[in-house]
Amino acid sequence: MEGFVSQDKLTIGDLAVKDLTFAEATKEPGLAFAFGKFDGILGLAYDTISVNHIVPPFFEMINQGLLDAPLFTFRLGESEEDGGEATFGGIDPSHYTGKIHYVPVRRRGYWEVELQKVTFGSEELELENTGAAIDTGTSLIALPTDIAEMLNAEIGATRSWNGQYTVPCEKVPSLPELSFYFDGKPYPIKGSDYILNVQNTCISAFTGMDINLPHGSLWIVGDVFLRRYFTVYDLGNDAVGFATSA
């Protein structure tokens, strides 16, 4: 990535952030930037991992007194007609059902919580020193390569020439649930959540990526999970809230 730093006013909904510092890219690496249907990246992680210590937009909103509360939320939709909604400074009760359960942030970098265990059907995998980054910027579920390969084998996926794992679409309804355990509570997703149907090709969301940090390994839990669960990113309490998405 190459580019330069600029300043301008950022407008999100009815919020206007003055003199926001941001990067303008002149050279972008990889195919994701070439083929991705987006115009830029709005970083919403902690300022501790901001490049060159530039103040991120959410933190600038707080500094400028634009928010009623130091938090933001996401409800992800399931179609182009309903892409979802991000809310800054408050919680919209129409975006979720039931109660919001809050899990402490494990490390102030990504919005990372402790991942205690996962279950897959009747099988259970206890984890130690493992974090889960709750990440709206990731489409899939990135997890250690050995576990990704084990899960893909369990669902009968085969690896294609481009590295993606696919399953016969007719098998998807019979696939077992996968549950993530945060603070003792299970958050299950179905086969139809973790298998993506892309032009009648059914692609596994389990992607091997070995991220080993000083405090243990890191999983990245992306949109296939977040379409099922409304999330609150609460900076004031250093916690992530989860509820069933409405």
Side-chain angles (χ1 to χ4, degrees), residues 123-161:
E123 298 182 45
E124 183 174 298
L125 177 63
E126 295 278 353
L127 299 167
E128 293 184 358
N129 297 322
T130 300
I134 311 303
D135 185 13
T136 58
T138 298
S139 301
L140 308 176
I141 296 172
L143 63 163
T145 301
D146 57 344
I147 300 176
E149 290 181 351
M150 178 184 70
L151 286 174
N152 282 320
E154 287 278 344
I155 63 176
T158 55
R159 184 168 177 153
S160 60
W161 63 270

Tab-separated table of all heavy atoms in Angstrom, residues 123-161:
chain	number	residue	atom	x	y	z
A	123	GLU	N	-19.430	-32.644	18.517
A	123	GLU	CA	-18.014	-32.562	18.856
A	123	GLU	C	-17.692	-31.222	19.519
A	123	GLU	O	-18.314	-30.199	19.216
A	123	GLU	CB	-17.162	-32.749	17.604
A	123	GLU	CG	-17.355	-34.115	16.951
A	123	GLU	CD	-16.468	-34.287	15.741
A	123	GLU	OE1	-15.284	-33.938	15.829
A	123	GLU	OE2	-16.961	-34.762	14.711
A	124	GLU	N	-16.716	-31.244	20.423
A	124	GLU	CA	-16.370	-30.052	21.191
A	124	GLU	C	-14.857	-29.849	21.186
A	124	GLU	O	-14.097	-30.808	21.322
A	124	GLU	CB	-16.877	-30.217	22.625
A	124	GLU	CG	-16.643	-29.022	23.524
A	124	GLU	CD	-17.298	-29.200	24.891
A	124	GLU	OE1	-18.540	-29.321	24.938
A	124	GLU	OE2	-16.553	-29.240	25.886
A	125	LEU	N	-14.452	-28.601	21.016
A	125	LEU	CA	-13.027	-28.268	21.013
A	125	LEU	C	-12.793	-27.173	22.037
A	125	LEU	O	-13.212	-26.029	21.865
A	125	LEU	CB	-12.587	-27.785	19.624
A	125	LEU	CG	-11.127	-27.329	19.491
A	125	LEU	CD1	-10.165	-28.488	19.769
A	125	LEU	CD2	-10.872	-26.735	18.116
A	126	GLU	N	-12.150	-27.540	23.158
A	126	GLU	CA	-11.784	-26.568	24.187
A	126	GLU	C	-10.558	-25.784	23.721
A	126	GLU	O	-9.633	-26.353	23.131
A	126	GLU	CB	-11.478	-27.266	25.505
A	126	GLU	CG	-12.662	-27.977	26.137
A	126	GLU	CD	-13.561	-27.035	26.913
A	126	GLU	OE1	-13.196	-25.853	27.068
A	126	GLU	OE2	-14.639	-27.500	27.353
A	127	LEU	N	-10.553	-24.493	23.993
A	127	LEU	CA	-9.466	-23.627	23.545
A	127	LEU	C	-8.841	-22.891	24.732
A	127	LEU	O	-9.524	-22.578	25.712
A	127	LEU	CB	-9.988	-22.608	22.519
A	127	LEU	CG	-10.587	-23.194	21.241
A	127	LEU	CD1	-11.343	-22.133	20.468
A	127	LEU	CD2	-9.486	-23.804	20.372
A	128	GLU	N	-7.557	-22.620	24.623
A	128	GLU	CA	-6.853	-21.852	25.645
A	128	GLU	C	-6.102	-20.709	24.982
A	128	GLU	O	-5.567	-20.862	23.881
A	128	GLU	CB	-5.860	-22.737	26.413
A	128	GLU	CG	-6.509	-23.810	27.272
A	128	GLU	CD	-5.482	-24.592	28.071
A	128	GLU	OE1	-4.270	-24.313	27.916
A	128	GLU	OE2	-5.888	-25.478	28.837
A	129	ASN	N	-6.094	-19.556	25.665
A	129	ASN	CA	-5.368	-18.382	25.158
A	129	ASN	C	-5.720	-18.097	23.698
A	129	ASN	O	-4.853	-17.906	22.850
A	129	ASN	CB	-3.852	-18.580	25.305
A	129	ASN	CG	-3.444	-18.707	26.749
A	129	ASN	OD1	-3.985	-18.038	27.615
A	129	ASN	ND2	-2.484	-19.589	27.020
A	130	THR	N	-7.016	-18.090	23.416
A	130	THR	CA	-7.484	-17.886	22.043
A	130	THR	C	-8.436	-16.700	22.001
A	130	THR	O	-9.394	-16.627	22.790
A	130	THR	CB	-8.197	-19.146	21.513
A	130	THR	OG1	-7.269	-20.243	21.531
A	130	THR	CG2	-8.690	-18.937	20.091
A	131	GLY	N	-8.174	-15.780	21.109
A	131	GLY	CA	-9.039	-14.629	20.930
A	131	GLY	C	-9.843	-14.742	19.652
A	131	GLY	O	-9.442	-15.419	18.701
A	132	ALA	N	-10.989	-14.068	19.639
A	132	ALA	CA	-11.808	-13.963	18.436
A	132	ALA	C	-12.004	-12.481	18.137
A	132	ALA	O	-12.587	-11.757	18.947
A	132	ALA	CB	-13.155	-14.648	18.624
A	133	ALA	N	-11.479	-12.035	16.987
A	133	ALA	CA	-11.691	-10.660	16.552
A	133	ALA	C	-13.030	-10.601	15.836
A	133	ALA	O	-13.233	-11.263	14.817
A	133	ALA	CB	-10.568	-10.208	15.633
A	134	ILE	N	-13.960	-9.824	16.390
A	134	ILE	CA	-15.286	-9.676	15.791
A	134	ILE	C	-15.155	-8.586	14.741
A	134	ILE	O	-14.997	-7.412	15.065
A	134	ILE	CB	-16.336	-9.324	16.864
A	134	ILE	CG1	-16.219	-10.279	18.071
A	134	ILE	CG2	-17.724	-9.368	16.270
A	134	ILE	CD1	-16.348	-11.747	17.725
A	135	ASP	N	-15.217	-8.979	13.468
A	135	ASP	CA	-14.730	-8.098	12.399
A	135	ASP	C	-15.725	-8.003	11.243
A	135	ASP	O	-15.858	-8.934	10.449
A	135	ASP	CB	-13.380	-8.624	11.902
A	135	ASP	CG	-12.741	-7.708	10.875
A	135	ASP	OD1	-13.208	-6.562	10.718
A	135	ASP	OD2	-11.779	-8.139	10.230
A	136	THR	N	-16.380	-6.854	11.141
A	136	THR	CA	-17.317	-6.629	10.037
A	136	THR	C	-16.606	-6.504	8.696
A	136	THR	O	-17.246	-6.592	7.646
A	136	THR	CB	-18.135	-5.351	10.277
A	136	THR	OG1	-17.247	-4.241	10.416
A	136	THR	CG2	-18.982	-5.470	11.536
A	137	GLY	N	-15.289	-6.305	8.721
A	137	GLY	CA	-14.534	-6.160	7.480
A	137	GLY	C	-14.055	-7.469	6.885
A	137	GLY	O	-13.372	-7.481	5.863
A	138	THR	N	-14.411	-8.581	7.516
A	138	THR	CA	-14.030	-9.908	7.032
A	138	THR	C	-15.286	-10.685	6.660
A	138	THR	O	-16.221	-10.782	7.458
A	138	THR	CB	-13.236	-10.675	8.107
A	138	THR	OG1	-12.033	-9.960	8.400
A	138	THR	CG2	-12.876	-12.072	7.638
A	139	SER	N	-15.315	-11.246	5.459
A	139	SER	CA	-16.508	-11.950	5.002
A	139	SER	C	-16.641	-13.330	5.630
A	139	SER	O	-17.754	-13.802	5.864
A	139	SER	CB	-16.479	-12.098	3.477
A	139	SER	OG	-16.411	-10.844	2.854
A	140	LEU	N	-15.525	-13.983	5.899
A	140	LEU	CA	-15.529	-15.408	6.250
A	140	LEU	C	-15.164	-15.608	7.718
A	140	LEU	O	-15.287	-14.703	8.534
A	140	LEU	CB	-14.558	-16.139	5.326
A	140	LEU	CG	-14.760	-15.883	3.830
A	140	LEU	CD1	-13.683	-16.575	3.015
A	140	LEU	CD2	-16.147	-16.343	3.380
A	141	ILE	N	-14.737	-16.810	8.047
A	141	ILE	CA	-14.205	-17.131	9.372
A	141	ILE	C	-12.784	-17.619	9.179
A	141	ILE	O	-12.562	-18.667	8.563
A	141	ILE	CB	-15.056	-18.204	10.073
A	141	ILE	CG1	-16.481	-17.670	10.327
A	141	ILE	CG2	-14.418	-18.626	11.388
A	141	ILE	CD1	-17.444	-18.725	10.832
A	142	ALA	N	-11.834	-16.847	9.662
A	142	ALA	CA	-10.422	-17.216	9.556
A	142	ALA	C	-9.998	-17.852	10.873
A	142	ALA	O	-10.189	-17.271	11.941
A	142	ALA	CB	-9.574	-15.979	9.247
A	143	LEU	N	-9.425	-19.025	10.790
A	143	LEU	CA	-9.061	-19.793	11.966
A	143	LEU	C	-7.787	-20.577	11.671
A	143	LEU	O	-7.369	-20.658	10.508
A	143	LEU	CB	-10.201	-20.710	12.375
A	143	LEU	CG	-10.658	-21.815	11.421
A	143	LEU	CD1	-11.499	-22.847	12.188
A	143	LEU	CD2	-11.510	-21.279	10.273
A	144	PRO	N	-7.128	-21.131	12.708
A	144	PRO	CA	-5.893	-21.868	12.446
A	144	PRO	C	-6.064	-22.920	11.350
A	144	PRO	O	-7.095	-23.595	11.276
A	144	PRO	CB	-5.579	-22.502	13.806
A	144	PRO	CG	-6.184	-21.552	14.799
A	144	PRO	CD	-7.440	-21.053	14.150
A	145	THR	N	-5.049	-23.060	10.528
A	145	THR	CA	-5.143	-23.906	9.337
A	145	THR	C	-5.527	-25.339	9.662
A	145	THR	O	-6.361	-25.937	8.965
A	145	THR	CB	-3.801	-23.883	8.584
A	145	THR	OG1	-3.512	-22.524	8.213
A	145	THR	CG2	-3.862	-24.727	7.331
A	146	ASP	N	-4.968	-25.898	10.734
A	146	ASP	CA	-5.278	-27.301	11.042
A	146	ASP	C	-6.750	-27.483	11.419
A	146	ASP	O	-7.387	-28.475	11.050
A	146	ASP	CB	-4.357	-27.835	12.140
A	146	ASP	CG	-4.409	-27.020	13.418
A	146	ASP	OD1	-4.908	-25.868	13.389
A	146	ASP	OD2	-3.949	-27.525	14.472
A	147	ILE	N	-7.315	-26.495	12.126
A	147	ILE	CA	-8.725	-26.591	12.508
A	147	ILE	C	-9.617	-26.350	11.293
A	147	ILE	O	-10.650	-27.008	11.120
A	147	ILE	CB	-9.042	-25.601	13.646
A	147	ILE	CG1	-8.172	-25.904	14.870
A	147	ILE	CG2	-10.523	-25.671	14.025
A	147	ILE	CD1	-8.335	-24.918	16.009
A	148	ALA	N	-9.215	-25.404	10.423
A	148	ALA	CA	-9.985	-25.151	9.199
A	148	ALA	C	-10.037	-26.404	8.334
A	148	ALA	O	-11.107	-26.770	7.808
A	148	ALA	CB	-9.368	-23.984	8.431
A	149	GLU	N	-8.917	-27.075	8.190
A	149	GLU	CA	-8.881	-28.289	7.371
A	149	GLU	C	-9.722	-29.402	7.996
A	149	GLU	O	-10.397	-30.158	7.292
A	149	GLU	CB	-7.443	-28.736	7.169
A	149	GLU	CG	-6.648	-27.783	6.265
A	149	GLU	CD	-5.227	-28.232	6.030
A	149	GLU	OE1	-4.791	-29.199	6.703
A	149	GLU	OE2	-4.541	-27.619	5.189
A	150	MET	N	-9.703	-29.470	9.335
A	150	MET	CA	-10.508	-30.487	10.023
A	150	MET	C	-12.001	-30.221	9.801
A	150	MET	O	-12.762	-31.143	9.486
A	150	MET	CB	-10.192	-30.466	11.518
A	150	MET	CG	-11.004	-31.444	12.347
A	150	MET	SD	-10.657	-31.278	14.118
A	150	MET	CE	-11.416	-29.673	14.448
A	151	LEU	N	-12.426	-28.969	9.932
A	151	LEU	CA	-13.836	-28.643	9.740
A	151	LEU	C	-14.262	-28.871	8.293
A	151	LEU	O	-15.351	-29.394	8.028
A	151	LEU	CB	-14.106	-27.194	10.151
A	151	LEU	CG	-14.113	-26.900	11.649
A	151	LEU	CD1	-14.245	-25.402	11.898
A	151	LEU	CD2	-15.244	-27.645	12.351
A	152	ASN	N	-13.412	-28.474	7.362
A	152	ASN	CA	-13.741	-28.681	5.949
A	152	ASN	C	-13.833	-30.168	5.611
A	152	ASN	O	-14.665	-30.578	4.794
A	152	ASN	CB	-12.721	-27.974	5.061
A	152	ASN	CG	-12.964	-26.481	4.975
A	152	ASN	OD1	-14.112	-26.040	4.898
A	152	ASN	ND2	-11.909	-25.692	5.005
A	153	ALA	N	-13.002	-30.981	6.262
A	153	ALA	CA	-13.101	-32.431	6.066
A	153	ALA	C	-14.403	-32.964	6.663
A	153	ALA	O	-15.066	-33.837	6.080
A	153	ALA	CB	-11.905	-33.133	6.699
A	154	GLU	N	-14.795	-32.433	7.838
A	154	GLU	CA	-16.023	-32.875	8.505
A	154	GLU	C	-17.260	-32.615	7.648
A	154	GLU	O	-18.208	-33.402	7.658
A	154	GLU	CB	-16.173	-32.155	9.852
A	154	GLU	CG	-15.216	-32.624	10.931
A	154	GLU	CD	-15.698	-33.878	11.622
A	154	GLU	OE1	-16.885	-34.217	11.480
A	154	GLU	OE2	-14.882	-34.533	12.288
A	155	ILE	N	-17.254	-31.508	6.920
A	155	ILE	CA	-18.436	-31.181	6.112
A	155	ILE	C	-18.346	-31.763	4.697
A	155	ILE	O	-19.230	-31.545	3.872
A	155	ILE	CB	-18.669	-29.660	6.036
A	155	ILE	CG1	-17.512	-28.937	5.329
A	155	ILE	CG2	-18.909	-29.082	7.418
A	155	ILE	CD1	-17.737	-27.445	5.142
A	156	GLY	N	-17.269	-32.503	4.437
A	156	GLY	CA	-17.118	-33.146	3.132
A	156	GLY	C	-16.743	-32.196	2.021
A	156	GLY	O	-17.045	-32.450	0.846
A	157	ALA	N	-16.049	-31.112	2.371
A	157	ALA	CA	-15.652	-30.126	1.363
A	157	ALA	C	-14.426	-30.603	0.600
A	157	ALA	O	-13.558	-31.299	1.142
A	157	ALA	CB	-15.361	-28.785	2.030
A	158	THR	N	-14.356	-30.225	-0.650
A	158	THR	CA	-13.181	-30.525	-1.467
A	158	THR	C	-12.544	-29.211	-1.908
A	158	THR	O	-13.236	-28.218	-2.158
A	158	THR	CB	-13.563	-31.350	-2.703
A	158	THR	OG1	-14.592	-30.665	-3.438
A	158	THR	CG2	-14.082	-32.718	-2.289
A	159	ARG	N	-11.239	-29.231	-2.015
A	159	ARG	CA	-10.496	-28.023	-2.369
A	159	ARG	C	-10.416	-27.864	-3.884
A	159	ARG	O	-10.045	-28.803	-4.597
A	159	ARG	CB	-9.090	-28.076	-1.774
A	159	ARG	CG	-8.275	-26.827	-2.013
A	159	ARG	CD	-7.027	-26.822	-1.164
A	159	ARG	NE	-6.206	-25.647	-1.438
A	159	ARG	CZ	-5.375	-25.106	-0.560
A	159	ARG	NH1	-5.256	-25.629	0.645
A	159	ARG	NH2	-4.658	-24.046	-0.878
A	160	SER	N	-10.780	-26.675	-4.359
A	160	SER	CA	-10.745	-26.410	-5.792
A	160	SER	C	-9.403	-25.794	-6.177
A	160	SER	O	-8.544	-25.519	-5.328
A	160	SER	CB	-11.890	-25.474	-6.184
A	160	SER	OG	-11.783	-24.242	-5.506
A	161	TRP	N	-9.216	-25.543	-7.458
A	161	TRP	CA	-7.936	-25.053	-7.970
A	161	TRP	C	-7.549	-23.696	-7.384
A	161	TRP	O	-6.364	-23.379	-7.274
A	161	TRP	CB	-8.011	-24.945	-9.503
A	161	TRP	CG	-9.043	-23.950	-9.967
A	161	TRP	CD1	-10.354	-24.208	-10.230
A	161	TRP	CD2	-8.855	-22.558	-10.203
A	161	TRP	NE1	-11.005	-23.065	-10.612
A	161	TRP	CE2	-10.105	-22.032	-10.615
A	161	TRP	CE3	-7.757	-21.697	-10.119
A	161	TRP	CZ2	-10.280	-20.686	-10.929
A	161	TRP	CZ3	-7.938	-20.353	-10.437
A	161	TRP	CH2	-9.189	-19.861	-10.831
